[in-house]
Amino acid sequence: MNFLKKFFDRIKAFPKVFKGLSLRKIIDYFKSHRLLAIIYLAIVVAVIIILFLLINYFQNQQTEIAVSKTDEKSATADVQDLSLTIPENAYPYPKSFTINKIPRDAAYNQYKQLGNFYGDIYELSPNDGRNDLALEPMTYTYRIPNEFYFGDEYFNFELLYIENKENPVVKVFSGGEIIQTENNRPILRAKGFHGSLVGLRVNNPVKQSLGLKKIIEKPDNLKPDLLLVPGIDINFQGFLPNTISNTNPQGNNLWEVTFEDRSIWVYDYPLTETRSANYVREAKNFFTDISKTSYIRLEAEKLANSLLESEQEYDIIAHGIGGIIARYAVENYPITNIRKIVLISVPNTGTNIVNPSFLNLLYGKDTQVLSQIYGLDADTIRYLTRNNMGYLENVNVFYTDILPFAEVIKTLENSLRKDISYFFIGGNQPDFDAELEDSQFAKFYPENTFGKGDGIVSVYSAIYPSLEEAENEKDNVLSKIVPYSFYDIFLQQQTLQLIRSYLEEGIEVVEVPDYQDDTFREWMFDNSDSTKTNSIGEHENDLFASTITLNPATVIQEEPEKVPNNLPTQTDNVQDLDDWKKETSPKEAEKDESAGTQTTENNIEKKETNGQTENTSNSKIENNNLEKTISIIESIKTSKDSEPIQYDNDAVNGSNQMEIFTPKSSKWNTNLFPDTFVNIQNMIIYNLTRHKFPFDSSPYGIETVGDLVYIFDNLGITLFKNGTFERISDGRVNAFFSDSRKLYVVQDNILTEYSNGEPSKMSYLMFEAPILSFAVTDSHQYYLLSQNGLTFETPSKSFKLNGHYGQILLYGVYPYIITDAGVYLFNGKDCELVYEPYNKDIQLESGIINNDSLYLLASDYSLRAISLDGEKILLDTVHNTGGIKILKTPEKIIVAGRNKFNIIDYSYKKPEGTFFEIPSTDKVLDVSIFEGHLLVLVREGDSTFLKKMAIME
């Protein structure tokens, strides 16, 4: 007790002690007690450091967020710029997260460099250590810096996340929403199903442009415009990145290539991209009106309003969730300007891929344990998790509308319209090799099962409206199952061919009178100095026929000659195909053209049936082709998958068997490339002569045979000779081949030979698949088909090749097949891969054979030369050449682009490279060599011209 009394007495005396102290006395005291002063100073510094560390710690201190209880709606916590909200019933048990700001250390710098983060990055970690999936998405809200916010119409922010710190991969929260708070502070809000590293990325400010937009404009015609309604795959809009060049900065478009004469529209809506504040405000008002949140209904109404306001007729092509939007718009609003709808991998009955409860069985679980439970290897389980989780996150808030038994899905069960034709296309090959058929996952995920789905949508869901057991079956509904996955189904040649055939059928065709010239003598070619006068008084030299005097009577077109109908009956197809494979075609006897006494009719074969001659006119052939096309479309609904090709491994039999060809590559190293390409624009005479193509039919290709020029367009073949155009055939050409004497063309699997501009022979080809390329020799024929990929047909065998498109090049009698994936050689017995690009992202476009070397043009605009055995390679500078076609003369290699031509001249000891460009307003469609000059098919505005350009030596 005395001790305590003394202690309190001293405390009471402190004021008296300090009252008598002054600053001078304190300084004097510490001068006389230096050791004690140092101790006191150290204590003060330590206290300051501790206080600083505590302040910094509490600034970065975690906030625990418990999941809501039964009487609570949600749990929310804020940590500086980030807040997290967990909705009610997101987890079936109490769940809490720790939010921690990543310190600015080496790890932060790594993350920032990977994703270009701005500001702080936060880590959300579950306190129970269980990295499982929320059954309802949590909400991440990040405060946007005011200095980067440019207005409610901009969407230049993305919320990023890294799921695994050990193997960091930066991803974007799809469908983020920019919101203005009550105090006018902008925030970015996104939905997610798991804890992650979360941060903000600031992009260049761009105003959000949505709705119905025209991306490809073509001259008006009787065909409906195309309207694309994409899903999550941005590639569906058809942009081909490998076709970008300085002269073609926009690149080509997949749908423009498929439908070259139609304008193309796209309905753009923010499915995966961030939504601007204006869009979020509009959506909130709409959801208030319908008393629920349904983004599909919102987008369907906006699309319907755009279609109701438009006077244009459309054919719709939709993919994935875009098909649900298109159907809901068309089938719930009085839209009258839709003719046909193509629906590719559309979840008409919903998809289980977006069911979080199913995915929770996989996400965050030990793959080795799951592989033992479900009988699947660990790699398959990891793939299923990534694939299904990726799609769920990409569709974000749209997922509730495409769950099976969702209200939107139920609305579409019996809503097909009778006045619109539907074509449903489904895939049955997921993008992986595992077999789930015998596992329990086949019950949860038929979409991931081989033969039952494409990896995202089940076959049943994709074609449900066309099934017989469906109550709403109608005659205007077709369907087709193709062996592709969700992400590549619309890129495949087979799918594009089906879509084209379906949408081109049934369009009104207006008969256009045959081109007739008058008797006024407009063209004079009496001598090499003659000129022609056009309508505006310009004089242009004509090198097509500089020494020919044209009789006016010869420009008047005669009635088309009748050609025979040698088409066999359908029952003979299989036998004829077998006969073709068993033996080689005999060499055709050549007619003596020097006699000049035989007419065209005598050169055309006639077939006698029951004493009657079957002579079929061009118009009847067109009707026959149209009926065949219609029959193909009608059979789509009931056709089954084609049987796998049986490969004949036996040796070729018959007297015409080719010996195995061994390539020689002794000259490959003489075909070096020049170091530089020098611009010779001032040495080019451009527009030396030009002729306007008289038909409005979108020509796309030319081929020269002797002094004849054949032009291919949507309507058929036009012959150009002596300055005049003459239509010689109707029906689009699928593939063509020429030698020094003849032109061979395939039109709807009918092979026609042309000699001197006249059809001399026709035969029917027994292939069900489209023919992409072919080659003809005196004793052999080779065909490249688009049949579940590429199939190379020889008279004795069939070979499956990698790739989606290609061409056949002859080296003597031996064919090289150039596909986008590689180069193959058929040596008379086997078809072997001799070359493939080192990078799988590079596709081969075309090629030629010159001086025992094979020149290849690739999608990266590089030119490469390889030895014929593929072992030795020369590679030119990337992006230095054109991207359309390679041509050759005896001493030159010419690479044509949209507006640029590269020329390699081998007449010198060292190869010289030159290039020239044509006006940017011109668009080269095709190019050929004619009489030693470049003959170019060019599009200028709404007109097409045939032009000759001369390279002045």
Side-chain angles (χ1 to χ4, degrees):
M1 294 296 292
N2 293 332
F3 172 77
L4 292 175
K5 184 177 181 182
K6 291 181 180 180
F7 178 77
F8 284 114
D9 290 341
R10 289 183 178 180
I11 291 176
K12 291 179 181 179
F14 277 163
K16 296 180 180 180
V17 173
F18 283 105
K19 185 176 182 180
L21 290 178
S22 65
L23 179 60
R24 183 177 182 80
K25 289 183 178 180
I26 294 175
I27 293 175
D28 293 339
Y29 176 80
F30 282 117
K31 285 182 178 180
S32 59
H33 300 78
R34 292 184 178 181
L35 180 60
L36 187 60
I38 293 173
I39 294 175
Y40 285 155
L41 182 61
I43 292 175
V44 171
V45 172
V47 170
I48 293 175
I49 293 175
I50 291 173
L51 289 175
F52 175 81
L53 293 176
L54 287 175
I55 292 173
N56 185 64
Y57 172 77
F58 282 110
Q59 284 183 343
N60 296 319
Q61 181 58 28
Q62 307 92 339
T63 302
E64 293 187 354
I65 307 173
V67 74
S68 61
K69 300 180 181 178
T70 56
D71 57 343
E72 296 175 346
K73 291 289 182 67
S74 62
T76 303
D78 295 310
V79 177
Q80 290 189 346
D81 292 329
L82 178 71
S83 67
L84 175 68
T85 301
I86 304 178
E88 183 184 11
N89 300 323
Y91 294 92
Y93 45 82
K95 187 78 170 181
S96 61
F97 283 86
T98 296
I99 304 177
N100 182 28
K101 186 169 69 174
I102 300 296
R104 302 293 181 97
D105 54 13
Y108 171 87
N109 293 331
Q110 179 189 10
Y111 302 147
K112 183 175 181 179
Q113 184 176 7
L114 282 174
N116 195 22
F117 286 90
Y118 175 85
D120 293 325
I121 303 174
Y122 298 89
E123 181 179 7
L124 285 74
S125 304
N127 287 336
D128 57 6
R130 299 170 60 179
N131 189 25
D132 43 7
L133 203 70
L135 301 182
E136 292 185 21
M138 299 180 291
T139 302
Y140 305 85
T141 303
Y142 201 106
R143 294 182 180 89
I144 295 174
N146 285 320
E147 61 269 24
F148 295 114
Y149 188 73
F150 296 94
D152 292 354
E153 66 270 33
Y154 290 87
F155 67 117
N156 53 309
F157 304 99
E158 291 176 317
L159 198 60
L160 309 179
Y161 72 92
I162 297 176
E163 194 172 353
N164 185 356
K165 291 194 304 181
E166 306 302 325
N167 184 24
V169 177
V170 178
K171 300 179 181 179
V172 179
F173 280 113
S174 295
E177 298 178 336
I178 299 176
I179 300 171
Q180 282 275 21
T181 61
E182 295 180 355
N183 57 356
N184 294 325
R185 177 71 187 268
I187 60 174
L188 178 59
R189 184 176 65 188
K191 301 287 186 179
F193 291 87
H194 52 76
S196 310
L197 293 176
V198 179
L200 181 70
R201 179 159 66 195
V202 180
N203 301 316
N204 293 329
V206 178
K207 292 184 178 181
Q208 193 158 45
S209 176
L210 304 173
L212 196 62
K213 298 184 291 187
K214 181 183 288 188
I215 58 175
I216 303 292
E217 186 168 6
K218 297 291 182 179
D220 292 337
N221 54 49
L222 295 178
K223 296 182 179 181
D225 287 357
L226 290 181
L227 171 56
L228 306 176
V229 186
I232 67 168
D233 195 339
I234 60 175
N235 294 322
F236 186 73
Q237 294 194 24
F239 171 65
L240 301 176
N242 290 329
T243 61
I244 294 178
S245 66
N246 291 334
T247 56
N248 186 24
Q250 301 301 322
N252 294 335
N253 185 281
L254 173 72
W255 301 109
E256 181 186 14
V257 174
T258 307
F259 299 92
E260 63 282 343
D261 56 350
R262 299 211 203 184
S263 294
I264 301 175
W265 301 69
V266 65
Y267 179 70
D268 200 359
Y269 61 101
L271 174 58
T272 59
E273 68 184 23
T274 301
R275 296 155 192 155
S276 66
N278 282 343
Y279 180 90
V280 175
R281 193 177 301 111
E282 178 186 8
K284 182 179 179 180
N285 295 334
F286 178 81
F287 300 149
T288 301
D289 293 339
I290 65 173
S291 301
K292 71 169 300 180
T293 300
S294 175
Y295 280 87
I296 282 186
R297 290 182 61 181
L298 167 64
E299 293 302 335
E301 180 172 290
K302 294 174 65 177
L303 173 58
N305 290 334
S306 298
L307 293 175
L308 290 170
E309 295 173 357
S310 174
E311 297 179 356
Q312 176 65 47
E313 185 181 25
Y314 299 96
D315 284 338
I316 294 178
I317 306 176
H319 180 235
I321 201 170
I324 299 296
I325 294 173
R327 282 194 60 193
Y328 198 97
V330 171
E331 295 168 14
N332 288 277
Y333 295 87
I335 298 171
T336 58
N337 52 346
I338 302 299
R339 186 182 71 108
K340 290 185 175 184
I341 301 179
V342 178
L343 300 158
I344 308 172
S345 292
V346 174
N348 296 284
T349 62
T351 174
N352 291 317
I353 299 298
V354 296
N355 191 328
S357 60
F358 289 175
L359 187 56
N360 196 32
L361 298 175
L362 300 173
Y363 185 84
K365 309 301 189 298
D366 190 306
T367 55
Q368 298 298 330
V369 174
L370 293 179
S371 64
Q372 297 177 5
I373 296 175
Y374 297 113
L376 298 173
D377 60 82
D379 288 339
T380 299
I381 292 176
R382 280 191 287 268
Y383 171 83
L384 290 174
T385 306
R386 290 195 304 268
N387 177 77
N388 299 358
M389 186 68 196
Y391 185 76
L392 173 61
E393 290 184 324
N394 277 325
V395 298
N396 52 82
V397 292
F398 283 76
Y399 86 96
T400 56
D401 283 334
I402 58 173
L403 284 166
F405 310 112
E407 181 179 338
V408 169
I409 297 299
K410 290 182 178 180
T411 303
L412 299 178
E413 285 183 355
N414 298 285
S415 61
L416 293 184
R417 290 174 51 167
K418 296 181 180 180
D419 58 333
I420 295 177
S421 296
Y422 295 82
F423 186 13
F424 295 90
I425 302 177
N428 64 359
Q429 289 190 10
D431 193 17
F432 67 104
D433 298 329
E435 180 58 60
L436 304 182
E437 180 63 35
D438 298 329
S439 71
Q440 296 184 37
F441 279 107
K443 300 177 182 179
F444 294 113
Y445 291 128
E447 298 87 354
N448 294 139
T449 305
F450 185 86
K452 295 183 179 180
D454 59 13
I456 299 297
V457 179
S458 68
V459 170
Y460 175 82
S461 183
I463 67 170
Y464 169 77
S466 68
L467 299 178
E468 294 184 358
E469 58 265 32
E471 297 180 359
N472 57 346
E473 185 191 12
K474 297 178 176 65
D475 295 335
N476 60 323
V477 178
L478 302 176
S479 66
K480 179 67 176 179
I481 302 172
V482 292
Y484 307 119
S485 68
F486 178 86
Y487 292 100
D488 70 350
I489 185 171
F490 58 87
L491 299 173
Q492 299 294 331
Q493 183 68 29
Q494 179 183 357
T495 309
L496 294 174
Q497 185 69 25
L498 288 170
I499 296 172
R500 176 180 172 82
S501 298
Y502 177 73
L503 294 183
E504 292 293 303
E505 187 270 332
I507 296 177
E508 180 184 358
V509 178
V510 176
E511 294 293 337
V512 179
D514 291 338
Y515 174 73
Q516 297 288 342
D517 202 352
D518 53 29
T519 58
F520 180 74
R521 189 171 182 173
E522 297 175 349
W523 307 88
M524 298 183 62
F525 308 103
D526 293 333
N527 53 64
S528 59
D529 296 327
S530 297
T531 60
K532 73 171 179 153
T533 304
N534 57 24
S535 60
I536 59 176
E538 296 177 345
H539 297 278
E540 298 180 3
N541 294 327
D542 195 321
L543 298 185
F544 284 96
S546 58
T547 61
I548 296 177
T549 301
L550 188 63
N551 190 325
T554 62
V555 286
I556 301 178
Q557 294 185 352
E558 300 176 356
E559 290 295 324
E561 299 288 347
K562 296 183 178 180
V563 293
N565 182 5
N566 292 332
L567 305 185
T569 60
Q570 192 67 25
T571 56
D572 297 333
N573 289 355
V574 178
Q575 183 63 38
D576 289 348
L577 182 59
D578 292 339
D579 293 342
W580 180 80
K581 282 182 172 292
K582 289 179 180 178
E583 59 184 4
T584 56
S585 303
K587 182 177 180 179
E588 294 294 328
E590 297 294 333
K591 301 293 183 180
D592 184 7
E593 299 179 358
S594 62
T597 59
Q598 295 181 346
T599 63
T600 304
E601 291 184 355
N602 293 331
N603 291 332
I604 300 177
E605 295 183 356
K606 296 183 179 180
K607 183 176 180 180
E608 300 292 338
T609 304
N610 298 327
Q612 297 179 353
T613 303
E614 297 181 0
N615 290 329
T616 305
S617 66
N618 287 341
S619 61
K620 291 184 178 180
I621 292 177
E622 180 180 0
N623 292 335
N624 185 21
N625 295 342
L626 180 58
E627 291 175 1
K628 182 176 182 291
T629 302
I630 295 175
S631 66
I632 292 174
I633 296 300
E634 293 296 334
S635 64
I636 288 175
K637 185 175 179 180
T638 57
S639 64
K640 297 181 180 179
D641 293 339
S642 57
E643 296 294 329
I645 296 176
Q646 300 296 327
Y647 298 100
D648 182 6
N649 295 321
D650 297 330
V652 180
N653 297 321
S655 59
N656 291 330
Q657 175 181 348
M658 293 187 298
E659 297 180 358
I660 295 179
F661 170 59
T662 303
K664 297 179 180 179
S665 56
S666 59
K667 297 182 181 179
W668 77 276
N669 57 350
T670 64
N671 295 336
L672 298 174
F673 294 135
D675 297 330
T676 60
F677 285 79
V678 180
N679 188 346
I680 58 169
Q681 179 68 49
N682 58 341
M683 300 176 64
I684 297 301
I685 298 179
Y686 182 68
N687 282 356
L688 187 63
T689 183
R690 70 183 206 165
H691 297 272
K692 183 177 181 181
F693 189 71
F695 309 111
D696 186 15
S697 51
S698 299
Y700 56 85
I702 55 175
E703 186 73 358
T704 57
V705 181
D707 62 346
L708 302 179
V709 179
Y710 296 91
I711 304 172
F712 309 106
D713 57 25
N714 291 335
L715 301 182
I717 307 174
T718 298
L719 178 66
F720 180 84
K721 184 178 181 180
N722 297 337
T724 62
F725 295 91
E726 177 187 358
R727 175 74 66 185
I728 61 173
S729 175
D730 295 326
R732 182 181 173 87
V733 173
N734 304 110
F736 59 87
F737 172 82
S738 68
D739 53 28
S740 60
R741 297 169 289 117
K742 293 182 179 181
L743 172 73
Y744 304 82
V745 299
V746 174
Q747 296 166 290
D748 288 334
N749 281 26
I750 299 174
L751 176 63
T752 306
E753 299 179 13
Y754 286 87
S755 297
N756 295 323
E758 300 287 348
S760 60
K761 182 179 179 181
M762 297 181 64
S763 57
Y764 192 86
L765 304 178
M766 306 306 161
F767 301 118
E768 295 183 359
I771 298 173
L772 302 180
S773 181
F774 69 99
V776 178
T777 69
D778 290 338
S779 57
H780 297 85
Q781 297 181 13
Y782 306 99
Y783 294 91
L784 185 63
L785 311 179
S786 176
Q787 181 173 284
N788 298 333
L790 293 180
T791 301
F792 177 58
E793 291 283 356
T794 73
S796 59
K797 298 182 181 180
S798 299
F799 299 91
K800 293 290 291 183
L801 309 182
N802 293 330
H804 304 97
Y805 57 87
Q807 69 175 125
I808 300 175
L809 295 179
L810 285 181
Y811 187 68
V813 294
Y814 296 95
Y816 283 84
I817 307 94
I818 301 175
T819 76
D820 53 309
V823 179
Y824 295 82
L825 167 65
F826 178 65
N827 60 11
K829 181 178 179 180
D830 299 316
C831 191
E832 299 180 350
L833 179 67
V834 296
Y835 172 75
E836 59 182 345
Y838 64 91
N839 188 333
K840 298 298 183 182
D841 294 331
I842 297 177
Q843 294 84 42
L844 302 180
E845 302 290 349
S846 64
I848 59 168
I849 296 175
N850 186 56
N851 290 337
D852 291 343
S853 294
L854 178 60
Y855 285 83
L856 299 172
L857 184 62
S859 59
D860 61 350
Y861 300 99
S862 65
L863 179 65
R864 50 197 71 192
I866 66 172
S867 59
L868 294 184
D869 53 13
E871 293 182 356
K872 300 178 180 180
I873 303 172
L874 296 170
L875 182 63
D876 190 16
T877 305
V878 176
H879 305 299
N880 196 33
T881 61
I884 294 182
K885 194 174 185 179
I886 309 179
L887 303 170
K888 68 175 181 177
T889 65
E891 296 179 341
K892 295 181 177 66
I893 297 294
I894 302 170
V895 185
R898 288 297 180 194
N899 296 92
K900 180 180 181 181
F901 291 83
N902 291 77
I903 304 162
I904 302 176
D905 193 340
Y906 288 108
S907 61
Y908 304 94
K909 291 183 178 180
K910 182 179 180 181
E912 293 189 359
T914 59
F915 76 93
F916 67 92
E917 296 178 343
I918 64 176
S920 59
T921 55
D922 291 3
K923 180 180 179 182
V924 175
L925 303 177
D926 198 9
V927 60
S928 184
I929 300 293
F930 183 75
E931 297 180 349
H933 299 280
L934 289 178
L935 183 62
V936 184
L937 189 66
V938 178
R939 188 73 175 175
E940 295 183 13
D942 296 335
S943 301
T944 303
F945 293 89
L946 195 60
K947 297 184 178 182
K948 180 178 288 187
M949 294 181 294
I951 304 172
M952 306 304 294
E953 300 293 347

